[in-house]
Amino acid sequence: VRNEKVDAFLASHGFNVLEFEEGSTATAPMAANQLGVKTDQIAKSILLKGKDGKNYLAVIPGAQKLSSSKIKAATGTKCSMMNGDEAFTATGYHPGGVCPFLTENITILIDQSLKELGDIYPAAGTSSTAVKIDFDSLVRITGGTPCDVIAK
């Protein structure tokens, strides 16, 4: 299953969407195994709702966890994770397919540790797609803000 809008957006920037067997990339370790890369190279997107009423999307390495204090420092507000229904309402993407592409009214935070990983692989709108991209390109085409949001 593909998301045609995301496919077209990424193609317009020179990137090709990779497609996998449904269910084979349900977790970051599974996706890394499919691609033959490190789990951290899977750029997972986590949707957050802020106490300020705004939505945020953090893109972090696949094996890492968010730091709530660093998220608060980056956003200026306390945030909580969205559930699947909230994520779909905010982005139009189902869990597993949430990605930083073509989102509206969502502040995108991209963890700077992704920069050291070379090629990274965020989802591309569905749970069975990904795109190979580098950190600088991800920041450029999403308008995301590089920051430090992972727990160390």
Side-chain angles (χ1 to χ4, degrees), residues 57-139:
L57 186 151
V59 183
I60 68 171
Q64 305 306 312
K65 295 193 179 334
L66 281 177
S67 160
S68 52
S69 60
K70 288 179 180 178
I71 285 290
K72 187 174 181 182
T75 62
T77 190
K78 190 172 180 181
C79 293
S80 58
M81 279 179 44
M82 288 187 191
N83 66 33
D85 290 339
E86 291 168 326
F88 182 75
T89 300
T91 65
Y93 303 126
H94 291 286
V98 172
C99 62
F101 310 113
L102 300 174
T103 59
E104 290 179 18
N105 303 314
I106 297 176
T107 300
I108 298 172
L109 309 169
I110 302 176
D111 193 80
Q112 59 205 19
S113 68
L114 288 165
K115 191 176 183 94
E116 274 97 70
L117 298 171
D119 292 326
I120 52 178
Y121 298 84
T126 72
S127 60
S128 58
T129 57
V131 61
K132 178 180 173 179
I133 194 167
D134 61 274
F135 178 85
D136 291 334
S137 296
L138 183 64
V139 169

